[in-house]
Amino acid sequence: MSLDIVGDDLKVELPTGESVRFAHLDYAASAPCVTAAARAVGDLLPRYGSVHRGTGVRSAASTIAYELARDVVAEFVGAGPEHEVIFTRNTTDALNLLARALPAGTTTIVFDGEHHANLLPWPNQVRLPAPSTPAEALRSLEEALENTLSPALVTVTGASNVTGEVWPIEEIADLAHRYQARVAVDAAQLAPHRPIDLRNADYIAFSGHKLYAPFGAGVLAGRSDWLDAADPYLRGGGASASVGDRPGELEWAAGPARHEGGTPNLLGAVAIAAVCEALLQADRDALHAEEQRLLTRLRDGLPDTVREVSLFGPEHPRVGIVSIAVDDPAGLAQKLAREHGIGVRAGQFCAHPLVRRLTGASESGACGTAPGLLRISFGLGSTDEDIDRILEALRSY
Ligand code: PLP
């Protein structure tokens, strides 16, 4: 089936000599590849060539595949004629691209609970403290908007990479639009779990490797006007329509090509589109119900010795991500890998201000290092057995 996981029978050997199935519970970092993506890449490789630039059959097939991929992604994000879809390297790249494309003088408004990819790129930044409730988020955002001149951009995560909690992006977009501000959604963690739609945002960014398409591409989709008016993200071939003899004598390309300088990542784009297509055809409600069932199984089974963290409270909706406070997250993560064949993530997950707040810690650490939390995350292909294995392992310490 197209949403089956490639390598879901991966085995690891434990110190006891026993061979067990690897329990992958680190989807929020990078999700495994699904067969739709692997198949799309494998099918294209015999005809693989350079996109946009050649006359031969390989180039023609590759150009068609690349532009078709763009169309599928456009459908996946509900893009209309006023939008464009730009292939990037990942979410970080997509958000940096948008940050550089903002009209001069744009004020950006961001909560400090964001992943660094959605915290650090923004110029002229009003930084709001991560709220304790969605209502508080809207209140402090409204206060900031009241004191902000246009143009303004509110940029917010769709789902937290630390707590898994879903942010009230529709309400945030409604509010921002009332003040003529635009909204960007960092959908790195939302897109793999829930439908995303440009009706709820002006810009959406996500990564292929978190969306079961780990071939090095990402997406920025959103309103064309600012993007078309901006300097190209990367200056070079592809981004230029015509170049004269003197420096500065040139015309930049219009549309997505303007920000896709250099040879694009065709296989990455095709892989993302294959997953988008498979998800468009899938029963998303059923996938959601299954994920929520596993989430309940995990949360209900956590031993009393660990504390689950949350920003908006335990009842708030979330995707398949749970972070827990334990004594030595890095040490425990190592033990889970070595002694139980379970992959999780420990550290501050490139969200230092948020993790400091959730743990009450005062120090920061490099991405992925302790101190911090231990994060359990899952998605397509995850099973009761994966959840039960980590629960049993956690109970044994
Ligand atoms: N935003 C969120 C919420 C994330 O979780 C991540 C990665 O973990 C990113 C952005 C950055 O994604 P990438 O490393 O693919 O650029």
Side-chain angles (χ1 to χ4, degrees):
M1 297 307 250
S2 56
L3 290 174
D4 286 350
I5 300 296
V6 177
D8 69 347
D9 56 353
L10 180 67
K11 296 278 194 299
V12 282
E13 196 174 314
L14 302 183
T16 57
E18 188 192 352
S19 172
V20 295
R21 195 178 73 87
F22 177 64
H24 184 23
L25 292 170
D26 193 15
Y27 278 46
S30 278
C33 187
V34 293
T35 52
R39 205 182 299 137
V41 168
D43 287 352
L44 182 60
L45 280 176
R47 290 169 297 134
Y48 175 82
S50 181
V51 168
H52 290 153
R53 304 210 171 100
T55 51
V57 66
R58 282 181 179 268
S59 185
S62 296
T63 303
I64 290 171
Y66 190 61
E67 293 308 326
L68 273 178
R70 202 188 301 284
D71 292 347
V72 173
V73 173
E75 188 186 345
F76 185 70
V77 298
E82 71 279 28
H83 297 123
E84 66 196 38
V85 170
I86 299 170
F87 286 112
T88 64
R89 286 182 294 177
N90 47 39
T91 306
T92 307
D93 198 34
L95 294 171
N96 274 271
L97 191 169
L98 180 60
R100 286 220 233 141
L102 299 176
T106 302
T107 301
T108 56
I109 305 178
V110 54
F111 289 96
D112 72 6
E114 296 292 327
H115 186 282
H116 298 168
N118 195 29
L119 192 62
L120 305 183
W122 305 109
N124 201 13
Q125 195 182 107
V126 175
R127 197 178 282 193
L128 305 174
S132 304
T133 62
E136 192 186 317
L138 295 170
R139 256 196 317 275
S140 67
L141 180 59
E142 181 150 27
E143 212 174 290
L145 287 164
E146 276 166 358
N147 295 304
T148 302
L149 295 176
S150 285
L153 178 84
V154 178
T155 180
V156 65
T157 192
S160 166
N161 67 311
V162 178
T163 65
E165 288 163 303
V166 175
W167 277 63
I169 50 176
E170 284 176 43
E171 291 85 344
I172 286 176
D174 284 348
L175 178 61
H177 290 159
R178 264 192 270 139
Y179 285 83
Q180 278 73 52
R182 294 192 182 186
V183 175
V185 172
D186 168 356
Q189 300 295 350
L190 189 65
H193 301 278
R194 304 253 176 119
I196 51 171
D197 201 305
L198 281 168
R199 270 175 304 200
N200 300 326
D202 300 284
Y203 303 93
I204 289 175
F206 62 92
S207 300
H209 72 101
K210 295 186 196 292
L211 191 70
Y212 309 97
F215 292 86
V219 168
L220 174 68
R223 287 169 68 176
S224 313
D225 51 353
W226 285 0
L227 295 164
D228 283 345
D231 260 5
Y233 184 45
L234 294 173
R235 292 165 170 247
S240 45
S242 74
V243 178
D245 291 335
R246 295 202 190 87
E249 267 182 15
L250 57 82
E251 197 187 324
W252 296 117
R258 189 181 189 86
H259 296 295
E260 291 181 350
T263 303
N265 178 356
L266 168 62
L267 298 178
V270 162
I272 289 180
V275 178
C276 289
E277 189 153 25
L279 286 172
L280 282 167
Q281 285 164 10
D283 181 345
R284 300 292 303 263
D285 289 342
L287 294 178
H288 176 71
E290 173 60 5
E291 182 176 290
Q292 294 300 307
R293 193 185 66 75
L294 291 176
L295 200 47
T296 304
R297 190 177 184 95
L298 172 64
R299 297 176 75 200
D300 286 355
L302 286 171
D304 296 340
T305 46
V306 306
R307 176 176 66 87
E308 179 195 298
V309 295
S310 78
L311 196 55
F312 296 140
E315 303 308 323
H316 190 81
R318 62 171 82 198
V319 300
I321 299 176
V322 171
S323 287
I324 53 178
V326 293
D327 279 346
D328 173 16
L332 181 53
Q334 290 290 349
K335 282 187 191 157
L336 289 171
R338 262 200 317 267
E339 296 168 14
H340 300 272
I342 298 170
V344 292
R345 178 67 60 115
Q348 300 196 341
F349 320 121
C350 302
H352 293 180
L354 177 60
V355 173
R356 272 201 303 275
R357 169 169 161 171
L358 294 171
T359 57
S362 55
E363 314 158 55
S364 289
C367 286
T369 65
L373 298 162
L374 187 125
R375 182 178 71 189
I376 305 162
S377 58
F378 55 88
L380 295 175
S382 298
T383 62
D384 284 0
E385 191 214 324
D386 295 329
I387 303 296
D388 294 349
R389 287 223 344 246
I390 191 157
L391 290 175
E392 202 184 315
L394 289 174
R395 280 190 217 111
S396 71
Y397 294 113

